Amino acid sequence: MAWRPDDKINEYGEPTYWDQHYDKKRKEEGLEYSFDFYVEPESLMPLLESYFGTDKGMNLLIIGAGSSEIPQLLYEAGFRRITCIDVSPVLVAHMQNRHHQHEGLDYFVMDVKNLGSFPDNSFDGILDKGTMDALFGSIRCMDDVLLMSKEVCRVLKVGKTFVEVSHGLPDTRLVYLRHHSLQWTAQHFTLPTNSSVHVYHMTKTPALPALTAGDDAEAAALLDAARARRRVGSLDLGVVRDLTSP
């Protein structure tokens, strides 16, 4: 089946989709509208605190924050250096207004594939819940996911952790998260309370982590196949569905 621009799976990787989505939800459900993909935010807090530690002065980055309640919960837990980014200007303006009295909880319009505003080794902890999955809905998904991973790795401090919460199975995610260009180790487990939710945690290392030849070859093959399909002007929707299936 050929790729069509109007396929919803393609829209998930585009900022205009999220502008329309959040504007509609705000009008339907009011200014206090919030939504968390995959799991209730409270159920993730013990996990996040175990990774991010007890230092409330640490610098945290929340990727694709959307209208999630997680930044608010982290703030209530005492963290005061929380940077939230999202690709939707509509959403960011809404969340800036909602949290304007919460000093240290900041929202910015930014594309995770280009975090150029942040210096290298800026953050003590980084969280993503669903942004990588959304990028798999882009026609540029293979390249975009690697760009995201490289930028996140760049701004993460050595020895610190990036937590990725996803519906993607390990064989569709680890091949990117363990790419040879990334200076971190990557591990995986499923949430005890919901086995369909996958958690990937990456710890940045001083040197490049070891990578098996098989993983490296698989990543190269996936990228080559994606580029070949793009050159002929179509993308097999079945392949993308396999990559994004829970």
Side-chain angles (χ1 to χ4, degrees):
M1 180 178 181
W3 184 277
R4 299 193 309 271
D6 59 342
D7 281 320
K8 181 166 286 190
I9 193 170
N10 185 35
E11 294 178 358
Y12 291 155
E14 303 303 326
T16 52
Y17 170 83
W18 296 106
D19 275 344
Q20 295 167 6
H21 170 81
Y22 288 121
D23 190 49
K24 179 182 178 183
K25 287 294 185 181
R26 184 183 58 181
K27 291 175 181 177
E28 290 176 347
E29 303 187 29
L31 295 178
E32 295 305 310
Y33 162 76
S34 64
F35 182 78
D36 275 272
F37 289 93
Y38 308 155
V39 292
E40 292 298 320
E42 292 83 1
S43 66
L44 280 182
M45 287 302 294
L47 173 70
L48 297 180
E49 290 177 339
S50 70
Y51 280 124
F52 295 158
T54 58
D55 178 8
K56 305 304 183 182
M58 70 189 326
N59 199 9
L60 301 179
L61 175 64
I62 313 297
I63 295 169
S67 59
S68 170
E69 293 183 0
I70 288 177
Q72 173 78 30
L73 292 176
L74 288 169
Y75 190 87
E76 292 173 357
F79 293 94
R80 289 296 183 270
R81 298 175 67 196
I82 306 170
T83 300
C84 303
I85 64 170
D86 200 281
V87 75
S88 168
V90 170
L91 180 280
V92 168
H94 174 56
M95 299 305 287
Q96 285 174 337
N97 182 64
R98 178 185 293 184
H99 294 293
H100 71 278
Q101 293 182 327
H102 295 152
E103 185 177 355
L105 175 54
D106 300 310
Y107 282 78
F108 300 97
V109 178
M110 193 173 295
D111 187 338
V112 70
K113 302 187 299 297
N114 182 6
L115 301 177
S117 298
F118 300 134
D120 296 356
N121 305 302
S122 296
F123 294 98
D124 301 288
I126 301 178
L127 169 68
D128 171 45
K129 183 160 63 69
T131 304
M132 181 174 288
D133 291 353
L135 289 181
F136 272 100
S138 167
I139 197 169
R140 306 171 300 275
C141 61
M142 307 295 182
D143 294 318
D144 286 353
V145 169
L146 272 180
L147 283 173
M148 169 184 168
S149 299
K150 289 177 180 179
E151 278 292 86
V152 171
C153 187
R154 180 183 67 79
V155 301
L156 182 66
K157 292 181 180 179
V158 172
K160 301 302 182 179
T161 300
F162 165 42
V163 179
E164 170 69 37
V165 181
S166 169
H167 262 178
L169 295 171
D171 59 355
T172 68
R173 297 299 186 264
L174 286 175
V175 68
Y176 296 97
L177 294 172
R178 289 177 175 167
H179 190 266
H180 64 81
S181 64
L182 301 173
Q183 188 182 327
W184 59 31
T185 58
Q187 305 297 326
H188 162 265
F189 65 91
T190 56
L191 284 182
T193 56
N194 188 340
S195 61
S196 69
V197 177
H198 299 268
V199 178
Y200 302 89
H201 55 105
M202 281 58 68
T203 303
K204 189 168 180 179
T205 59
L208 289 175
L211 184 70
T212 67
D215 283 341
D216 198 22
E218 186 177 357
L222 280 170
L223 290 172
D224 288 345
R227 292 187 179 107
R229 285 192 293 272
R230 190 163 62 249
R231 281 196 295 270
V232 299
S234 67
L235 187 63
D236 185 348
L237 186 59
V239 171
V240 178
R241 280 180 175 155
D242 287 343
L243 288 171
T244 57
S245 61

